[in-house]
Every structure is written in C-alpha cells, then in structure tokens.
Amino acid sequence: MEYKTCSFTGHRPQKLAWRYNETDERCAALKAALKKQITTLAEAGVTDFYSGGADGVDCWAALIVLELRKKAPTLKLHLILPHEGQADKWSNTAKERYRSILEQADSVEYVSREYYDGCMLDRNHRLVEASSLLLAVYNGEWRGGTAATVRYAQKLQKKVLILHPVSLQMTKA
C-alpha cells in the first residue's frame, strides 16, 4: 500500500520529562528525530500531513512540515482543530506559534466553534480517519489522548509509527 497522507499525535509538554523547557537537549533531540521521520515520509511520497494543533508535538510536527514545504511545495499541512479557542489559555509564546501555523496551513477545519466535552477525542478520530498513516510520539502509557488515538488507528487498521519521546526509538504498532 502506498501512503500519501499522515496524521500526527503526541504528548503535550506537561507529559514530557522536560515539560515546557524547549531548550532542554532531550527536547531538541526529539524535535530532530521527528524532523528526520517526517522528512523520510515526505521522501517516500507522503504529501499531505494532518495536525490537531495541540501544544507540543502537534505544533512541532506542523512547523517541521511548513519548513520542509519551503523546499518541497507539493507538501501540504492540514489542521483539524477541536474548537476555535484551543490556544486561549496557552503561554504567549505558544499562542504566537499556533497563530503562525494557522496562517500558513493549507487548510483549517474545526470540529466545533465552541469547546464541548469530547471535542478533543472527536478531533483525534477525524485526524486518524483523514490519513492512511499515523505518526505518534508516544511513551507507551495506557491512558491519555495519545494512547487512545494510537488504539483508534490500530482499530481502523491504519499504519502506525511510534517515536518514543525519550529513547527516540522508532517502532511500528
């Protein structure tokens, strides 16, 4: 099967060992590993990437796609967002990054205008359904949105690639 579409899922900063400290060498190493994997996927023919825009992995992956798109204009970044106010309570730096990603995305879709209980889960389902492949930055824990998204992709028999956030090991689920 040829893969042309890839969605991202991954932990928010508070779940990562370095939390919000993006200058931590472990964060830099994760971003480099994520860039390497997204580059590999693009070189293998993936052209459309989907991000849920959550703080952390979703935004880092989106920025990588936007960077790669400068040299490969056939790459597209699509955002499927849970609700319009997703970034309202984030830090100013995170809000600026989010706004910049929204301005540069090829498409932006909202699950809902307003927040509702379950809109994040609905967003994650739409991300999985939109693509043939899921790239997950995932530590293996059973609970949480990333875990549920990986299980949903497996249930739909999508290809799942897992990048462990600390060991940086790539595995297939």
Side-chain angles (χ1 to χ4, degrees):
M1 177 181 211
E2 197 172 326
Y3 299 98
K4 296 279 185 199
T5 55
C6 174
S7 289
F8 305 115
T9 190
H11 300 297
R12 303 243 174 43
Q14 64 265 27
K15 283 228 179 152
L16 299 168
W18 53 87
R19 301 185 56 80
Y20 291 91
N21 181 8
E22 291 187 41
T23 61
D24 187 293
E25 63 187 26
R26 295 167 296 180
C27 183
L30 174 59
K31 288 179 181 180
L34 191 57
K35 182 176 181 179
K36 180 180 177 187
Q37 187 58 47
I38 294 170
T39 301
T40 299
L41 291 170
E43 290 170 351
V46 174
T47 55
D48 290 82
F49 294 89
Y50 292 81
S51 172
D55 196 14
V57 172
D58 286 16
C59 284
W60 300 336
L63 288 172
I64 291 166
V65 172
L66 292 171
E67 181 186 335
L68 294 175
R69 190 177 70 183
K70 291 175 185 171
K71 293 180 183 164
T74 57
L75 297 183
K76 303 286 183 230
L77 175 65
H78 307 283
L79 301 177
I80 300 176
L81 307 174
H83 61 96
E84 290 182 2
Q86 175 172 239
D88 287 354
K89 296 178 182 172
W90 296 1
S91 71
N92 287 336
T93 304
K95 281 183 194 177
E96 286 173 27
R97 174 172 35 210
Y98 181 76
R99 277 193 292 271
S100 172
I101 292 167
L102 260 66
E103 289 169 4
Q104 298 176 72
D106 293 286
S107 70
V108 179
E109 172 190 333
Y110 292 94
V111 171
S112 174
R113 291 180 61 82
E114 302 291 325
Y115 174 84
Y116 65 87
D117 194 29
C119 68
M120 305 292 187
L121 180 65
D122 289 346
R123 181 263 324 265
N124 294 345
H125 284 185
R126 284 203 197 169
L127 285 166
V128 169
E129 292 159 3
S131 64
S132 52
L133 166 67
L134 179 69
L135 175 56
V137 175
Y138 177 48
N139 63 13
E141 69 183 23
W142 180 252
R143 293 178 52 109
T146 300
T149 303
V150 167
R151 287 194 299 273
Y152 186 67
Q154 291 170 321
K155 178 182 170 185
L156 297 186
Q157 300 181 330
K158 304 282 183 160
K159 181 175 181 179
V160 179
L161 299 175
I162 295 176
L163 173 59
H164 192 279
V166 177
S167 73
L168 306 179
Q169 183 178 355
M170 281 296 308
T171 56
K172 293 177 183 168

